[in-house]
């Protein structure tokens, strides 16, 4: 006995895809920037210094003195002479008081007191150590006005191009199923 057989034949379906990729470009331009730095305003005011030169001692060393200095010096010398003269007169009085002791005190005193011993000593040379110099510096006033920098920026937007992609779907082969009975 023959039993019929079932025979199946299938053809698979095939899908065809055509893909167009998307394209994207982004371009960023550099920013345009300018920076300027103005100079600061600066004002300097310098007061002059004060110099003092005292050469009085150098002139005194040369024996060139002012009237006041010369007077003070002569007063000191005169005071010494007066004190020496006072001592001499006192001593001579004591000698005269003892005249009875012998000798000739009046003649001896006259001999001692005749003549005058006078010596003049000119001054030396002026030296730099005798000149007194003092300096007082003047103050400096410095005024600075700061200036801010000038910064300018020009923003540039990016260039953006986009082309979307797509997918085309097609049936390249249709599916098929054949069923047969074979005896």
């Amino acid at each position: 006995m023959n039993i019929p057989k079932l025979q199946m034949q299938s053809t698979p379906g095939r899908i065809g895809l055509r893909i167009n990729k998307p394209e994207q470009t982004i371009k960023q331009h550099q920013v345009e920037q300018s920076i300027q730095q103005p100079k600061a305003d600066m004002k300097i005011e310098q007061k002059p210094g004060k110099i003092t030169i005292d050469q009085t001692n150098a002139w005194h060393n040369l024996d060139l003195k002012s009237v006041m200095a010369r007077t003070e010096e002569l007063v000191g010398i005169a005071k010494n002479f007066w004190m020496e003269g006072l001592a001499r007169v006192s001593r001579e009085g004591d000698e005269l008081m003892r005249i009875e002791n012998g000798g000739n005190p009046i003649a001896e005193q006259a001999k001692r007191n005749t003549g005058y011993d006078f010596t003049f000593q000119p001054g030396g040379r002026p030296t730099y150590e005798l000149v007194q110099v003092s300096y007082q510096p003047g103050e400096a006033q410095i005024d600075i006005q700061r200036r801010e920098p000038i910064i300018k920026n020009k923003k540039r937007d990016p260039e953006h191009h986009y082309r979307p992609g797509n997918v085309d779907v097609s049936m390249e082969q249709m599916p098929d199923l054949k069923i047969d009975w074979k005896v």
Side-chain angles (χ1 to χ4, degrees), residues 50-176:
K50 183 178 179 183
I51 189 166
T52 306
I53 301 172
D54 184 6
Q55 54 188 8
T56 306
N57 292 337
W59 288 115
H60 287 187
N61 193 40
L62 291 173
D63 203 33
L64 299 172
K65 300 176 183 175
S66 67
V67 173
M68 293 300 289
R70 183 70 71 190
T71 302
E72 286 179 26
E73 185 179 285
L74 290 177
V75 164
I77 293 170
K79 188 175 180 181
N80 285 340
F81 280 161
W82 178 65
M83 294 304 273
E84 288 173 7
L86 194 60
R88 181 181 50 84
V89 167
S90 174
R91 199 173 47 248
E92 288 175 354
D94 287 345
E95 288 175 4
L96 289 175
M97 190 172 63
R98 293 184 193 91
I99 200 165
E100 69 273 358
N101 293 340
N104 192 0
I106 296 175
E108 289 175 13
Q109 289 177 4
K111 188 177 172 186
R112 271 194 314 243
N113 291 335
T114 59
Y116 180 70
D117 185 22
F118 177 76
T119 57
F120 174 73
Q121 300 213 354
R125 297 180 358 176
T127 60
Y128 69 92
E129 293 99 1
L130 296 175
V131 177
Q132 296 173 351
V133 179
S134 67
Y135 178 70
Q136 199 172 17
E139 292 184 17
Q141 292 179 342
I142 301 172
D143 184 27
I144 298 174
Q145 297 294 324
R146 182 176 169 251
R147 298 255 180 130
E148 295 290 329
I150 301 168
I151 301 172
K152 294 180 183 176
N153 293 324
K154 184 177 178 185
K155 183 179 116 182
R156 299 184 81 187
D157 292 328
E159 289 181 19
H160 182 245
H161 298 289
Y162 178 71
R163 184 178 58 92
N166 61 357
V167 177
D168 290 332
V169 180
S170 63
M171 273 315 266
E172 290 185 352
Q173 185 176 342
M174 296 296 285
D176 187 29

